[in-house]
Amino acid sequence: MIAALAALAATVAIGARITGELRTPVELPQVAYATSEQCVMCHPGRYETWHRTFHRTMTQPARATAVVGDFENASLTYQGVTSRFTRDGERFFVETLSPANTMERYEIAMTVGSRRIQQYVTRVGDRHVRLPVAWNIEERRWIHLNGGFLDPDATAFNAHRTDWDSNCIFCHNVKAQPRLNRETDTFDARVAELGIACEACHGPADLHIRRNRDPLRRYLLYLGDRDPTIRSPRELPRMQQIQICGHCHGQRLPNPRERIAEFMTVGDPYTAGDDLSRFTTPIDAHTELAGTDLSQRFWSDGTPRLTAYEYQGLLTSEGHGSSDLTCMSCHDMHGGDPRGMIQPAMRGNAGCVQCHAEIGRNVSKHTGHEAAGSGSECYACHMPPTTYGLLTVHPSHRITSPAPARAWRNEMPEACTLCHTDRTAIWAARETARQFGTPPPDDEPSDRAFETAESIRSLFGGDVVQRAVAANALAQARSYTSDPTQRLWAVPFLLLTMEDPYPAVRHFAHRGLLELCARAEVGESAIGAAPKSPPFDYLAEPAARTAALQSWWSWWQGLDKRRLSHPGAAVPLDAEFMPRRDVITSLIARQSNHLVSIGE
């Protein structure tokens, strides 16, 4: 009896101690990191759902299981330089042009990226260096990064050769520590774990693991106590939830700027769950940085137009501060499609009507479009595809309402004419006013360029991002018509765009051309097979591109177009469905070719 009472008393004492410990805050930034290999022992299900994500494989050692590029003696010729990709057993090599203008053979140390493009990092002295050639995973081909980013043809071959230790390390790994020695100008970079792993979102877990070896503590946690040794994003205040994602999906500068020394020598001071604004300030359209025009990363109304600024998009969305909206309202880090970390339903209107239920009950009344049509897709109007990243145009994460006047006020794409590609922005503004009973804009432009369909005006007269977005709009699945044949009028404009001086724009035009033709060749709308050769390569030398284009032009001119309808007066096509060169030349003369530095 006495022994039993003593045991009970001891248990009660231990329980009281643990309860007290659970209620004592922990300075998590002082805790060591453990890596995901420790987390899996107690959280196998969560580990499995993370393990299948592209977050895990963002940065990997260059093992055979990680490298997806063709290293079987493949080659890529760009700007007259033939780069070669080889392997020796489990070792991978890239022979390419060095900064000294000599051909060098580099052994790959790490890979960066695993969904769209895989980049390769070598070791040069104390530094890890990202090479300027990469593997396009979706298209299964080698590319030069001048064609993956937004650079014109004449950009230097090694413009995108960059130090991983002072750049990529910060957003593609857990707890980056460049460990720059300023006296010797050398790096000794470390990370807690390569890739985006458990502790990037939950904070350092070493103390959590050690304390939870006690079964009584785990039992008390099951009863409902919160564990101060780990951070669950869903239990954090709203802004801290958003900031965990914004830490990587929102390019930023140290706060204050002088803190850059701490970032480079000691490491990133942010720990998941902290107030990110204590350490960094998001870059915006007005941020000044010597040597880089950061304003080019934003549309002139402040909306981000590059990926990796989703955090800024949410912060600038009207009314976000008084809402419950977080990244996790739509995205799911442990579920759904790894391509976007999103549940299938959230790709449709369910993402929006979870908060706007009344609109969801009668979408057509809200949109003025058929309920099942593209015009009633929430994302089409409120998060239109206006953001460039890795040869793809993504939805804007600044949630806005359609305002066609943005086209002339801000020289930016607007939602209506991204679907109504055959219409002008002025038409869209008047229609919007008519449908919603609001006054039309009182500043309609008198510039005759705006008499041209906005998609065509932007395709030839816009800057590089406008042109990429316009080419994407002309071919995207979402459209004002469900008849794919009636969209073929865009073909000659895309053919002209395949002569653009920016490889990325040529890529969008060629891919769009293939998509338009593929849709029109399906079913009863089939009107004729498109040419298969010679193949068009947006990175090839001009002569090869011209030969392929001539084949396409011959096909288009010989095509029986009796089933096509002219898209209307706003589209500068003649009776033979050929572009009106006078209009196109006038638009191209307005084209802006200022550089857009992506900063990756």
Side-chain angles (χ1 to χ4, degrees):
M1 174 65 77
I2 293 175
L5 288 174
L8 178 61
T11 301
V12 170
I14 293 171
R17 176 181 59 77
I18 294 174
T19 300
E21 177 259 300
L22 289 173
R23 294 173 182 171
T24 303
V26 172
E27 283 296 319
L28 222 52
Q30 307 303 318
V31 174
Y33 283 76
T35 80
S36 56
E37 292 305 314
Q38 300 294 314
C39 303
V40 67
M41 292 184 289
C42 294
H43 306 283
R46 304 300 272 176
Y47 179 89
E48 189 280 328
T49 54
W50 161 76
H51 196 268
R52 67 191 183 89
T53 69
F54 296 109
H55 273 152
R56 177 184 67 84
T57 50
M58 178 56 74
T59 307
Q60 302 176 87
R63 302 189 182 108
T65 53
V67 174
V68 297
D70 178 5
F71 281 83
E72 301 297 336
N73 203 28
S75 65
L76 168 72
T77 299
Y78 177 75
Q79 290 187 353
V81 176
T82 298
S83 302
R84 299 191 183 281
F85 310 91
T86 57
R87 65 182 293 177
D88 181 2
E90 297 295 297
R91 300 167 67 192
F92 299 85
F93 300 88
V94 173
E95 183 184 22
T96 193
L97 191 68
S98 75
N101 212 31
T102 58
M103 296 300 289
E104 298 287 342
R105 189 171 184 246
Y106 300 99
E107 180 169 3
I108 302 306
M110 291 187 291
T111 67
V112 177
S114 61
R115 180 186 172 187
R116 290 190 170 89
I117 291 176
Q118 187 166 71
Q119 302 173 57
Y120 296 98
V121 177
T122 189
R123 187 79 186 248
V124 179
D126 61 292
R127 298 173 189 238
H128 296 89
V129 177
R130 193 264 311 276
L131 296 173
V133 287
W135 178 254
N136 185 322
I137 296 169
E138 295 176 327
E139 299 179 0
R140 299 194 55 74
R141 60 160 293 177
W142 288 103
I143 64 170
H144 190 279
L145 287 178
N146 288 358
F149 296 153
L150 295 172
D151 300 294
D153 284 322
T155 302
F157 188 91
N158 277 305
H160 291 292
R161 180 185 172 112
T162 189
D163 283 349
W164 177 88
D165 309 85
S166 60
N167 189 351
C168 321
I169 189 174
F170 285 108
C171 286
H172 296 163
N173 305 286
V174 179
K175 204 61 175 179
Q177 303 163 66
R179 294 160 59 108
L180 169 66
N181 184 324
R182 288 186 170 277
E183 293 183 357
T184 59
D185 190 28
T186 56
F187 287 94
D188 182 21
R190 309 288 172 82
V191 298
E193 186 169 359
L194 291 175
I196 308 302
C198 312
E199 292 161 296
C201 300
H202 296 280
D206 179 71
L207 183 62
H208 174 75
I209 292 168
R210 286 190 282 112
R211 287 189 177 176
N212 280 300
R213 288 176 182 145
D214 184 335
L216 182 57
R217 187 180 193 275
R218 298 200 301 272
Y219 179 75
L220 289 173
L221 288 174
Y222 281 125
L223 293 179
D225 277 314
R226 295 181 61 183
D227 189 346
T229 63
I230 202 73
R231 283 172 176 163
S232 170
R234 288 194 182 278
E235 295 176 354
L236 292 170
R238 175 175 173 271
M239 275 309 298
Q240 272 93 321
Q241 286 187 34
I242 297 169
Q243 289 170 340
I244 287 177
C245 303
H247 178 240
C248 292
H249 293 276
Q251 290 208 5
R252 60 207 189 283
L253 293 173
N255 178 24
R257 297 283 182 95
E258 294 73 20
R259 199 167 192 166
I260 186 65
E262 177 187 358
F263 275 74
M264 289 297 174
T265 55
V266 179
D268 187 346
Y270 173 76
T271 299
D274 286 347
D275 178 359
L276 184 62
S277 66
R278 288 172 49 209
F279 310 106
T280 58
T281 302
I283 292 170
D284 63 31
H286 306 292
T287 302
E288 295 185 357
L289 183 66
T292 305
D293 184 359
L294 297 173
S295 70
Q296 296 301 320
R297 302 180 185 184
F298 300 83
W299 300 108
S300 69
D301 74 338
T303 301
R305 59 180 189 160
L306 301 178
T307 53
Y309 291 86
E310 291 76 17
Y311 180 52
Q312 285 90 330
L314 193 154
L315 294 183
T316 53
S317 296
E318 184 177 351
H320 95 89
S322 58
S323 76
D324 295 326
L325 180 67
T326 71
C327 308
M328 289 185 287
S329 299
C330 298
H331 297 277
D332 184 349
M333 297 303 100
H334 288 280
D337 188 341
R339 295 169 298 180
M341 312 295 296
I342 194 166
Q343 296 286 355
M346 290 299 177
R347 292 194 183 279
N349 287 356
C352 299
V353 300
Q354 62 179 315
C355 294
H356 302 278
E358 186 174 343
I359 293 174
R361 284 188 279 275
N362 190 347
V363 172
S364 184
K365 179 182 178 182
H366 173 72
T367 64
H369 290 71
E370 294 180 3
S374 299
S376 286
E377 294 179 22
C378 304
Y379 295 131
C381 296
H382 298 288
M383 297 176 68
T386 61
T387 307
Y388 177 87
L390 293 179
L391 295 174
T392 303
V393 177
H394 304 262
S396 171
H397 276 62
R398 183 181 191 183
I399 302 170
T400 57
S401 294
R406 289 193 185 101
W408 61 80
R409 292 175 186 166
N410 304 107
E411 273 296 338
M412 64 181 290
E414 52 83 27
C416 301
T417 53
L418 290 176
C419 283
H420 293 277
T421 49
D422 58 339
R423 300 289 191 163
T424 67
I426 294 174
W427 170 87
R430 292 173 181 173
E431 273 299 296
T432 302
R434 183 187 66 78
Q435 285 195 17
F436 294 95
T438 56
D442 58 5
D443 61 343
E444 285 187 1
S446 57
D447 185 339
R448 294 201 62 183
F450 286 93
E451 296 176 5
T452 301
E454 183 60 18
S455 64
I456 304 303
R457 190 191 73 84
S458 299
L459 186 66
F460 295 104
D463 70 11
V464 59
V465 185
Q466 284 177 282
R467 303 202 298 274
V469 170
N472 183 71
L474 285 167
Q476 67 178 351
R478 188 183 287 150
S479 173
Y480 66 95
T481 175
S482 59
D483 183 349
T485 301
Q486 298 309 322
R487 297 182 65 191
L488 287 176
W489 61 260
V491 165
F493 297 109
L494 293 175
L495 290 176
L496 288 177
T497 306
M498 286 158 64
E499 301 175 29
D500 195 280
Y502 283 68
V505 177
R506 296 197 296 266
H507 179 274
F508 277 101
H510 181 227
R511 186 170 66 188
L513 178 68
L514 297 178
E515 290 173 359
L516 280 180
C517 291
R519 287 197 200 99
E521 289 172 3
V522 174
E524 297 179 354
S525 295
I527 62 168
K532 298 284 191 282
S533 64
F536 179 84
D537 182 349
Y538 74 107
L539 290 173
E541 293 299 309
R545 299 201 308 266
T546 299
L549 269 170
Q550 287 174 344
S551 175
W552 275 100
W553 278 115
S554 295
W555 167 77
W556 177 249
Q557 289 168 330
L559 189 68
D560 180 358
K561 305 181 184 70
R562 286 176 294 180
R563 293 178 56 188
L564 272 64
S565 301
H566 195 287
V571 178
L573 281 175
D574 64 19
E576 303 299 320
F577 285 84
M578 292 294 286
R580 286 181 49 197
R581 292 281 182 168
D582 58 328
V583 177
I584 302 304
T585 301
S586 173
L587 292 173
I588 290 176
R590 299 160 173 264
Q591 199 173 87
S592 167
N593 282 311
H594 50 237
L595 293 177
V596 179
S597 167
I598 288 183
E600 290 190 9

